Amino acid sequence: MSPAPRRRRSVIVVAGESDNDRAVLQHLIPALYPRCPKVVAINDKIKLAPALLQLSPRVETLRDSALRMAEGCNAELVGVVVHADLDNVSARTYDQVRDRITTQMRKTLPCPSALALSAVEMESWLMLFPDAFPKVRRGWAMRPEDRRKDLTLLANPKEHLKKHLGKPPYRESDSPKIIAEAVRLGQVSARPPGNNRSFRDFADQLAAWKNR
């Protein structure tokens, strides 16, 4: 009797605007999605949020790239996660942008998807995990008043961290290390202390995968 064919492994593909943002998601997804399969990243720069009028062809390109990545891993594509910076404080436009991109992704992609639409930018998500900062640089500490803010209304989180976090100044390349420390400390959850609706929306989309 011949052995049963070996089952293909599963893979989640991550896309986004920068290497650092993709690396952050590669730490976040396993922390938020139990029994997560392998997470791999598309290295091409993919921007969706500013391109609502040309959204369909960009999502189709994303689909083709994700399928090629999965095939190259000899794996089944079981999820796609895309990061985009809103580049604006969370307001009515946030819901419009999220709904438009999410609808197009669900229409085009052959598997569950999740949109990491950070308002204003990824640094506002990092600020949900203040205890991780001094683990990366001893001189860093988030101010107590920043822990209480609605971080979706912070106009420029990146510059805010550069100004107020401490020395040496924050750099974008620090972001994967910060989220990795937050994961190591066990602080990453769908509802961390702090206030950032855009992070919660992303975590909720990942949680919905369990029901599919």
Side-chain angles (χ1 to χ4, degrees):
M1 184 176 179
S2 60
R6 189 174 181 181
R7 185 179 179 184
R8 296 181 82 190
R9 62 178 176 169
S10 300
V11 68
I12 293 173
V13 170
V14 167
E17 300 181 10
S18 77
D19 292 340
N20 295 318
D21 295 331
R22 293 189 292 268
V24 167
L25 287 177
Q26 286 182 281
H27 289 294
L28 270 180
I29 294 167
L32 292 170
Y33 187 59
R35 298 183 296 279
C36 180
K38 183 177 182 180
V39 181
V40 296
I42 297 172
N43 292 326
D44 298 339
K45 184 176 182 179
I46 296 177
K47 298 191 74 168
L48 297 182
L52 294 186
L53 296 179
Q54 301 87 29
L55 189 57
S56 178
R58 296 195 183 204
V59 178
E60 289 172 2
T61 298
L62 168 64
R63 175 198 60 202
D64 296 344
S65 297
L67 287 169
R68 282 196 301 271
M69 175 66 75
E71 189 62 32
C73 297
N74 192 27
E76 178 187 1
L77 180 66
V78 297
V80 174
V81 176
V82 183
H83 170 262
D85 284 332
L86 184 63
D87 291 332
N88 202 345
V89 295
S90 180
R92 184 165 52 185
T93 56
Y94 168 80
D95 291 306
Q96 294 170 346
V97 172
R98 167 168 277 285
D99 290 347
R100 183 84 175 272
I101 296 176
T102 296
T103 298
Q104 189 64 48
M105 287 169 62
R106 288 175 176 169
K107 177 180 176 182
T108 307
L109 298 175
C111 60
S113 60
L115 176 61
L117 180 62
S118 49
V120 169
E121 51 197 2
M122 184 64 83
E123 280 72 16
S124 68
W125 286 17
L126 302 181
M127 292 174 70
L128 290 168
F129 311 104
D131 294 342
F133 288 97
K135 298 295 183 180
V136 176
R137 301 276 187 254
R138 290 184 179 180
W140 285 356
M142 262 182 59
R143 304 182 306 171
E145 58 266 36
D146 289 336
R147 299 180 183 223
R148 298 188 292 269
K149 289 179 177 177
D150 180 348
L151 296 170
T152 68
L153 301 179
L154 189 60
N156 196 327
K158 191 182 287 97
E159 292 304 318
H160 188 89
L161 288 178
K162 289 179 181 179
K163 181 177 180 181
H164 296 294
L165 190 58
K167 301 295 183 181
Y170 167 81
R171 301 171 301 174
E172 288 183 59
S173 58
D174 293 314
S175 57
K177 304 171 199 170
I178 294 165
I179 207 66
E181 284 297 330
V183 171
R184 188 184 67 80
L185 293 170
Q187 296 183 336
V188 176
S189 69
R191 295 293 185 271
N195 187 359
N196 192 315
R197 177 191 167 194
S198 66
F199 180 87
R200 296 195 302 270
D201 287 343
F202 168 63
D204 288 346
Q205 277 195 322
L206 276 184
W209 288 9
K210 301 173 187 177
N211 301 321
R212 299 190 59 163

